[in-house]
């Protein structure tokens, strides 16, 4: 391999980096249409071709999506999420469960260590939404609420990189929950373990918090992998 001298960023790369920053810091939130090309040309003082190339780079990275005749919209808060989603789509369910287990156990441990009173309120609120959805037989509502519960738990760890990683596997997390939503016994066990997780986080018990998550995911693995022959099929199969 021949070493290459470093080169300065091109103008397109500089503009793409600025646009990416606007997306990552929430100035342009997911779902929002970004300013039209003429507005960006005027504000940034560069050519329309430069703007188009920068936008195309972010479309390729999975952060933007163009809707014919309607403009360009933000579809991901980081370039990490689309890349991980594509990778997880080709992975075994067992592999995804292991990754989720690693992230959530550490997240639960850190949440117990760092949680604030405000974090506890948000975690409890998400848990109560799970219980209401379960009681109403609202499976879609339960899937959304369960994801929000675990997302709030991860957020209580106050580690932005950990939160970004968890957001990046969000679709796979929801898919795993949807696999288990047809098993009443599994949903009931999840509710029980989530209640135990809240108690452990409130008590700032790092060990019990991680253990509750481990038990939660072990229960999912045991039931779900029995359904997927040999546990070696991908999420699409």
């Amino acid at each position: 391999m021949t070493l290459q001298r470093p080169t300065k960023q091109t103008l397109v790369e500089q503009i793409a980096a600025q646009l990416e920053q606007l997306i990552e810091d929430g100035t342009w939130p997911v779902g929002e249409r970004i300013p039209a090309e003429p507005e960006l040309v005027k504000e940034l003082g560069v050519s329309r071709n430069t703007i188009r190339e920068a936008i195309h780079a972010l479309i390729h990275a999975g952060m933007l999506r163009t809707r014919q005749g309607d403009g360009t919209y933000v579809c991901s808060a980081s370039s990490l999420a689309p890349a991980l989603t594509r990778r997880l789509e080709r992975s075994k369910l067992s592999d995804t469960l292991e990754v989720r287990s690693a992230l959530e156990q550490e997240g639960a441990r850190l949440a117990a260590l760092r949680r604030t009173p405000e974090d506890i309120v948000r975690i409890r609120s998400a848990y109560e939404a799970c219980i209401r959805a379960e009681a109403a037989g609202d499976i879609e509502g339960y899937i959304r609420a369960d994801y929000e519960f675990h997302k709030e738990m991860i957020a209580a760890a106050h580690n932005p990189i950990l939160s970004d990683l968890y957001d990046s596997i969000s679709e796979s997390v929801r898919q795993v929950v949807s696999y288990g939503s047809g098993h009443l016994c599994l949903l009931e066990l999840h509710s029980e373990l989530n209640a135990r997780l809240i108690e452990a986080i409130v008590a700032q018990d790092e060990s019990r918090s991680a253990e509750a998550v481990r038990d939660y995911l072990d229960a999912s693995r045991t039931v779900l992998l029995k359904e997927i022959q040999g546990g070696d099929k991908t999420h699409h199969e």
Side-chain angles (χ1 to χ4, degrees), residues 5-67:
R5 290 188 177 184
T7 58
K8 293 182 179 179
Q9 276 190 315
T10 66
L11 186 57
V12 170
E13 289 171 334
Q14 292 179 51
I15 297 302
Q18 287 192 58
L19 302 186
E20 185 172 356
Q21 183 60 44
L22 290 172
I23 295 170
E24 289 183 342
D25 68 16
T27 301
W28 291 352
V30 172
E32 184 173 293
R33 183 171 59 185
I34 70 171
E37 283 183 7
E39 186 178 339
L40 293 173
V41 166
K42 182 178 179 180
E43 186 171 346
L44 292 166
V46 296
S47 71
R48 177 168 287 194
N49 280 341
T50 298
I51 293 296
R52 285 178 177 172
E53 287 186 46
I55 288 175
H56 182 74
L58 296 184
I59 290 173
H60 182 71
M63 298 181 74
L64 295 176
R65 177 178 296 129
T66 298
R67 297 180 186 172

Side-chain angles (χ1 to χ4, degrees), residues 93 97 100 127 130-131 134 139 142-143 146 149-150 173-196 212-228:
L93 177 58
L97 286 169
R100 184 182 174 190
Y127 174 71
C130 287
I131 297 300
E134 182 184 347
I139 298 301
Y142 180 87
I143 291 169
D146 183 80
F149 171 78
H150 289 274
V173 170
R174 290 190 187 96
Q175 198 168 40
V176 168
V177 176
S178 70
Y179 286 156
S181 61
H183 297 271
L184 180 60
C185 61
L186 187 57
L187 293 186
E188 291 173 345
L189 179 59
H190 282 180
S191 294
E192 177 187 329
L193 292 170
N194 284 342
R196 195 207 307 172
V213 168
R214 185 168 60 252
D215 289 348
Y216 172 98
L217 292 170
D218 281 350
S220 296
R221 182 183 295 109
T222 299
V223 171
L224 301 180
L225 295 185
K226 284 181 180 178
E227 288 191 354
I228 300 180

Side-chain angles (χ1 to χ4, degrees), residues 10 29 87-88 91 107 112 137-138 165 178 180 184 211 217 232 237:
T10 66
R87 179 63 185 88
L88 288 169
S91 71
D138 180 0
L165 283 170
S178 70
L184 180 60
E211 181 184 353
L217 292 170
D232 59 358
E237 292 181 300

Side-chain angles (χ1 to χ4, degrees), residues 77-160:
S78 81
S79 58
L80 178 63
L84 271 179
T85 297
R86 289 192 296 270
R87 179 63 185 88
L88 288 169
E89 285 174 347
R90 304 192 305 271
S91 71
K92 298 176 184 177
L93 177 58
S94 56
D95 291 342
T96 299
L97 286 169
E98 286 174 0
V99 170
R100 184 182 174 190
S101 180
L103 286 177
E104 289 200 29
Q105 284 188 65
E106 182 62 9
R109 189 187 70 78
L110 292 174
L113 188 65
R114 301 171 178 171
R115 93 291 185 279
T116 66
E118 293 76 18
D119 291 327
I120 297 300
V121 169
R122 287 190 288 269
I123 291 170
R124 287 191 188 280
S125 177
Y127 174 71
E128 288 165 4
C130 287
I131 297 300
R132 288 194 299 271
E134 182 184 347
D138 180 0
I139 298 301
E140 289 301 317
Y142 180 87
I143 291 169
R144 290 193 300 271
D146 183 80
Y147 172 71
E148 286 302 318
F149 171 78
H150 289 274
K151 182 178 178 180
E152 291 295 351
M153 182 269 291
I154 293 288
H158 295 280
N159 182 317

